[in-house]
Amino acid sequence: MSVVAKGSSKIVYPAGCKELSDELGKDELVRRLKLLARAFQDMGQDDNIEEYSGLAISLATDFYMDHQSKDVRLLVACCIADVFRIFAPEAPFRDSSLLKEIFMFFIKQLRGLEDPDSPTFKRYFYLLENLAWVKSFNICIELDDNQEIFCNLFQLMFSIMNEKHSSKVRNFVLDMMTPLITEADAVSQELLDIILLNIIEPYKTQNRVAYNMARDLLIRTSNAIEPYIQAFFNNALMLGKMSESEVSDRLYDLIYELNHISPSVLLAVLPQLEFKLKSNEESERKAVTKLLAKMFSDQGSNLAEQNRPLWNCFLGRFNDISIHVRQTCVAYAQHFLLNHQETYKDIVEQLKIRQHDPEETVRMEVVNTILGLAKKDFNSITDELIGFIRERTLDKKYQIRRDSLLGLGQLYKKYTFSERVDKANQEKVCWVKDKVFHAYYQNSNEDRLLVERVFNTCLVPYNSPVDEKMRRLLLLYCTLDDHAVKAFNEMLKHKNNVKNLVHQLVDSFDQQTQGSTPSFNPKIAALARSLPESSKSSDHLKKLCQMLKEDKRMRQYLKVLVGEECTCKRAQELVREVLKKLGSPAPGLQNQFYNTVKLLLERVAPVMIDASSINMLVKHVDETVRGLGIITEGIDDAAEKGVRLIMALSTVYPYYFKDEETYQELLTFLKHEDEAVSDLTLQIFINTGKKLQADLPVIYSSLLPILQSTAKLGNPKQSKHALRCINIVCKNKELIFGQIFEHLKKSLNPESANYLTSIVALGHIALYCPEEFSAEMKNIVSKFIVKELLMQDQTAGADSIESWYSEHHVTEETMAKVQAMKLLVRWLQGIKSNANNSGTSTLRLLFTVIKHEGDLMERGKVNKPELARLRLQAGCCMLKLAEDRCYSELISQEQFRTLAFLMNDSCYHVRLNFAMKLHKGLLSLRLPLEYMSIFCLAANDPLRERRAQVKVFFQQNVSKRREYLKQTPAIKGRMFHFMPDYVIPYVIHLLAHDPDLPTHDDVTALKNIKECLSFVMEPLINKSEDYNYNFFRRMLENIKQTKDAEDPDDADLNRKLYSVCDVALGILNSKPSNITLKDSSVEPVLPAKLFTRPDKSYSNTKSYLPKEFVIDGPKRKAQVSGPKGPSAQEIIVESPGPVVNRLPVCPREPKRKKASSTQVQTMSDSENDSGGEEEVMFKPVPDGPKKRGPKKKDKNIQDVYVKPKGRGRGAKSLDSPAKRPGRKPKHVDDSGESDKITDSSPDVKDFSSSQDSDHSPKPKALMESKRGNTQQSKTKKKKVSQESASSSPASSPRRSSSESPRRGNVDSKSVNKSSIVNGTNKGGAKRTAKSDTESSGNSNRKRKAVDTSTERPPVKRGRPPSNKAGKALTRGKLKGGSDADSDMVSPSRATKQLKMDQFSSKAVPKNVRRAKMIANGTSDGDSPETDGSSSPSKLESLSQMIQTVDTEEDSGIKRRVRGKRK
């Protein structure tokens, strides 16, 4: 029953409810409102509710809604909410402004939901539930300013939600908010911002509940809200309309989160990102790339499959021009590989490209990405991916190499030493250990220190127990490849050297305290060179020395650390103590001094090996040798490798071998059946047995009989090591050697089983005890070694077309001869004197072996491979003797040149081994500087890799000697013995005596000499701070003031010398583009044994080079001082001594106006004019020229074929390419005109040419040739070919066999075939006429054309292919064509076969030449006794043979038939 309020007929209250008025107190009002709220709560829509509309309106007044009591406001809100419920769908409130006030009042009351623990929370929850259930806020949709209400509501709900709220509360909130979006006509940007702001950082992490609610709201309203989101992104991304939205600057973060929450709302947005990826703004491309990388790589994302165009566009960003964009792409690659195997192929392909990125940060990111992926999931790493890290270990940037090696080392440690061994993962990292040690081949100290660190921390952790540590070390060493083993041994040597330097430095302080004043600077400099950044390290080491001087305790720590008694555990403690005294750097700061000392201590501290470690290692190796080792099970040659490890450690840690038990086990190794094991054990005793007789007499007494027996009955290598061990271990070695000597003499018989052992052992006894056995050794050497062994050929070698084969194929007699030559050397090394001319006789014998190509007595019984081995050994023995000063002075220049020509031997293995032996002797500074000149001959090697290798050898020697001069200031007085620049006089002298240089103006020979000179001059003058142009030029000009000391009166020989000097001057002037001459007061010193004293009475400024000889070089920019000061295009010459100026214009004078450009020349016009008529070049060589080598008896010389006896690079043929019927003359083109000699550039002139006027009249022959037509060209070419084929021998430029000690003679028939008749070669005259005219410069006088009847055409360096009749066998003839047809072959085609010929036949043994004759077109049966001409059928078969001989290989030995590279 309703109650009507008094005084008013409109307001009706529910039954039991009292009237409300503003006069009531707070408490009373609350009680009445509670009754009213209860009444409304119990009402339903079926009740008579219209009568309560007045009550509802009265409640919605300011008095109640703005009441100061929150309880009143809450109860009123609940009552009004119930009114909306019971009056639904029509509310009693008609005024829109009143509705707005009511709903804003609701929003304010909903804030009470913030604290679920509040006593009134239930009533607030009831209010929320009521509003959500009835969807009361939907009424606001019809209001004009509904967005304000919605924004306040949403803002409130997102702000008050927290973890305390139950899911029920959250669901009611969502139920209340969802219809306001799904049923609304529009969603304002402000409301959208409120929702989207909660899904991005920092709100996402600050209020996770709000994020979840916003996420759920977006999921529920995805279809309704999608158009508004799309419009927002379209305006922002495509149209660039940035609204006042709070999220306008977080677009890409929003896209990423929306893609996570509801990808469907972005269906129209993602295509727009493709355009953003191609933006011109780097920052924009980077942001979009980062966004898409996250979207594509997220776990469970299918975006790459759903949107392939966008995926392909994203992949293109891996090649973006921006470094940061590429780096971003690479950084996210590991997420792709972890979460999306379907993208593996695309991502790996991009990483493969990016690991070669030009920017180091991108390459570094590739390394970090793959290593990060490996740490997270190593199973996802493939061999291809880890191969990228392997490549980066060779990166040019140290930081990348460092991270790559450290990462690989950590992976190796993790998956090799893990308790649960995974075979698949082990196989993935099994190569890491090799790669780590390969990095030790880097030249930088940083890399070597890095390898040492990785070895100590990852490969074999130094802090492991001794037993486990030695197990890992043994396993590591036994599984390393050969290159890694060499690096490991080298690492031990480097660490030991640094340790010795520190030991010496500490000892210097003790010496200082005793009164002496040692110098610390050399030791500090040597230590600094072993550390990174030597200059800074030197300063830090000086500071350390100062600390050591002041701190005695610290000095004692360091002394114990590098002492022989320091253990691994003690070393770690000492390192910590020393570093503690230095003071640790503050966090985040780098103390460079601290780091330098730390690096030094890491190198010298014995944290890996001590005496206990050696004992444990020997035990493990003993188990392996006996076949009981589990560690090395399944490893090939494990016993040998284990003993080799002990041998390597004994080299650097001999003082740790002091336990008797250790030596007992080593004695058992000596008795092992494997010869390699016993031989290595002997070397261990050599390294460690110096104090064995005194310290361990029991071991010594057991060892001595074994050594004696091994020296007598072992193989040659074992015998050598046994004798060396006796020499070191035994104090009374003379008595022991005497017993062994008597036994060995009895075995010095070819029939004895110990024949080779006896020869080797006798040589070593003669070395160790030269005085005791001098008389007996002299008798053995003279009667047996020389007469009965070296001069006899008892065994006829098997026929072989190979030039080399392995040692096990070599006959015992040849091996005995090899060892006999070594015996001679050791004998001479022991006596160290030339008593009774023993040294001279031995050198003459070795020289004869090389000269006769290995066949000392020239009986022809030894086959080619063994001849090659014999002459190689003879050369190596001469090099060994040259290391001793008393014998190097005995080597004559003829012997030296013969030895040098082994560098051009026909056998590849001879050239290879000889070069390596030469390099080893020079690098150790034992061989004199003169022998460094031999490297120049390697320029003629046909193999590019061999030339490159020898050039590296030469560069290393140059660097070594320059570094030695810097480190040894006291050597200044003898600088000419070590300074690499002084090799130039030796090179010039060697090349001036080149047997292939018949006259000083032979163009072909000079071109080859230019290559040889460039080969050695480029490393000396290119990009070198030590290069002094003035010094080099004065040296070369001084040589031109001297004469050849071998025969000063020989004018031809001196002209050759001057001609080679001119070539060197040309190279000197052509190499640099800009030079500034250094002021130098050092006068170059010339070797007196090669040159006479320079004659200062005149200046030899004449050029001895032919005009046809051109030295090309870069444009020269002279530096001339003018009024404006020196410019960048000037050469400043400042020299206290006289410098011959070959320039027509003085460098200090201004340029002449008529000069077209700055030009550099070697001979001025005045020099030519002063000399009168020029000397005619290419004079015919008269018969029987003067010999410069020892005479050699020629045997079985026939008229048709003579064995070539030139030097190693090959005998020169008299058949020049220009004269052969099947080939074009070199300087004649298809029109009959000669090739232009002058350079096309007006600024670059011929080095030897002088300047003529450009207006000089052209020769008639040249004018006619230019007006000739095609038919005339063919006629001229044919005519030239016919005339050159019909040349007479009357005036042919021949060379007699006496020009070289190993050059054969050619009879008149052969010469007739290859000569040119003077005056009859018209084509040649025309060629010369044009050459002279075109080579003329700016002079006004006319030159007379030189007749080519006196010109020596280009001659191939090496014996050309010839048939039995002595004719030149050209490529055209081999193909069956006639002489006329072969005229059509181009010069390059015609010379191709000659280029493919074997390197030379000069130094090839007689038997070796037979294979070369086959390759060059002669039959296998050709011999000096054969006469007659070859048939066409034989030529056809030989043509096929030549095509296959280039690539033929037998027994793994290359027989590639090639000539000198053009």
Side-chain angles (χ1 to χ4, degrees), residues 1298-1317:
S1298 59
E1299 287 182 316
S1300 171
R1302 292 165 58 191
R1303 191 181 305 282
N1305 297 323
V1306 182
D1307 67 338
S1308 60
K1309 294 182 182 180
S1310 178
V1311 174
N1312 188 29
K1313 298 292 183 180
S1314 58
S1315 307
I1316 299 177
V1317 180

Side-chain angles (χ1 to χ4, degrees), residues 1113-1129:
K1115 183 185 294 186
R1116 202 65 197 284
K1117 297 182 180 179
Q1119 216 173 30
V1120 183
S1121 59
K1124 296 182 180 180
S1127 64
Q1129 298 181 352

Side-chain angles (χ1 to χ4, degrees), residues 71-90:
D71 292 333
V72 173
R73 294 195 302 271
L74 175 58
L75 291 171
V76 170
C78 292
C79 291
I80 297 177
D82 281 327
V83 169
F84 279 108
R85 176 178 58 80
I86 62 179
F87 277 86
E90 296 294 334

Side-chain angles (χ1 to χ4, degrees), residues 595-611:
N595 293 335
T596 300
V597 177
K598 184 179 179 182
L599 288 175
L600 180 63
L601 294 178
E602 286 180 2
R603 299 203 83 170
V604 302
V607 295
M608 185 67 63
I609 300 296
D610 58 8

Side-chain angles (χ1 to χ4, degrees), residues 1092-1103:
T1092 61
R1093 185 177 297 275
D1095 186 358
K1096 300 294 184 178
S1097 62
Y1098 79 105
S1099 179
N1100 186 5
T1101 60
K1102 178 182 177 181
S1103 176

Side-chain angles (χ1 to χ4, degrees), residues 713-1000:
L713 305 176
N715 60 40
K717 185 179 292 187
Q718 290 176 333
S719 178
K720 175 180 72 174
H721 290 143
L723 291 171
R724 187 180 174 190
C725 190
I726 293 173
N727 184 55
I728 292 175
V729 174
C730 303
K731 295 180 180 179
N732 55 341
K733 59 181 180 181
E734 292 81 3
L735 179 61
I736 300 172
F737 280 149
Q739 298 173 359
I740 299 174
F741 189 86
E742 293 299 326
H743 180 274
L744 293 175
K745 287 196 300 182
K746 300 175 183 178
S747 301
L748 205 60
N749 186 341
E751 304 297 329
S752 173
N754 298 318
Y755 181 44
L756 292 179
T757 300
S758 301
I759 298 175
V760 173
L762 287 173
H764 282 84
I765 291 176
L767 175 64
Y768 299 139
C769 298
E771 297 179 358
E772 287 75 3
F773 306 98
S774 59
E776 294 177 274
M777 280 302 304
K778 184 177 180 181
N779 187 39
I780 291 174
V781 167
S782 60
K783 292 184 177 180
F784 180 80
I785 298 297
V786 176
K787 293 183 179 179
E788 296 185 18
L789 180 55
L790 292 177
M791 298 181 65
Q792 301 298 324
D793 295 324
Q794 303 294 339
T795 306
D799 292 337
S800 176
I801 61 174
E802 299 175 355
S803 60
W804 185 272
Y805 48 52
S806 56
E807 187 172 322
H808 66 276
H809 289 126
V810 181
T811 61
E812 185 180 18
E813 182 182 10
T814 299
M815 290 302 300
K817 290 181 179 180
V818 169
Q819 296 299 336
M821 285 187 273
K822 291 183 179 181
L823 181 144
L824 294 176
V825 172
R826 294 181 183 122
W827 173 55
L828 292 177
Q829 285 179 324
I831 60 177
K832 291 186 180 301
S833 68
N834 190 29
N836 301 321
N837 292 326
S838 55
T840 305
S841 302
T842 302
L843 287 171
R844 186 164 57 246
L845 182 143
L846 296 174
F847 159 70
T848 308
V849 173
I850 302 174
K851 175 184 171 184
H852 292 172
E853 300 165 351
D855 194 355
L856 177 64
M857 304 306 295
E858 295 188 289
R859 295 190 179 96
K861 292 185 177 181
V862 187
N863 61 14
K864 294 183 294 183
E866 299 191 0
L867 286 173
R869 194 174 291 272
L870 288 171
R871 64 177 180 270
L872 170 63
Q873 187 58 54
C876 294
C877 288
M878 287 188 70
L879 290 177
K880 196 69 177 177
L881 290 175
E883 294 178 2
D884 200 326
R885 186 174 181 180
C886 67
Y887 299 122
S888 63
E889 296 174 351
L890 302 177
I891 300 178
S892 66
Q893 285 303 307
E894 180 188 5
Q895 293 173 345
F896 172 77
R897 287 193 292 272
T898 304
L899 172 68
F901 293 148
L902 281 178
M903 184 66 75
N904 294 145
D905 195 89
S906 61
C907 178
Y908 167 80
H909 291 82
V910 173
R911 302 197 305 271
L912 174 66
N913 291 288
F914 179 75
M916 295 181 69
K917 195 75 173 180
L918 176 65
H919 172 61
K920 182 179 178 181
L922 286 169
L923 201 62
S924 62
L925 301 181
R926 293 194 297 264
L927 276 175
L929 180 65
E930 176 182 8
Y931 288 80
M932 199 169 162
S933 64
I934 299 176
F935 282 132
C936 74
L937 301 177
N940 300 321
D941 201 292
L943 300 179
R944 181 185 304 174
E945 58 270 19
R946 285 286 304 115
R947 293 194 300 272
Q949 183 188 28
V950 176
K951 196 158 194 174
V952 170
F953 288 169
F954 185 81
Q955 292 169 343
Q956 289 177 351
N957 277 280
V958 170
S959 302
K960 172 76 173 181
R961 290 173 181 271
R962 284 178 174 165
E963 190 65 26
Y964 178 75
L965 289 174
K966 293 178 182 178
Q967 298 172 14
T968 317
I971 208 69
K972 296 294 183 183
R974 301 175 60 246
M975 182 181 294
F976 51 87
H977 290 297
F978 299 94
M979 187 174 176
D981 308 73
Y982 277 111
V983 76
I984 297 299
Y986 295 106
V987 173
I988 290 175
H989 191 271
L990 176 62
L991 296 176
H993 289 77
D994 186 348
D996 287 346
L997 183 64
T999 60
H1000 73 281

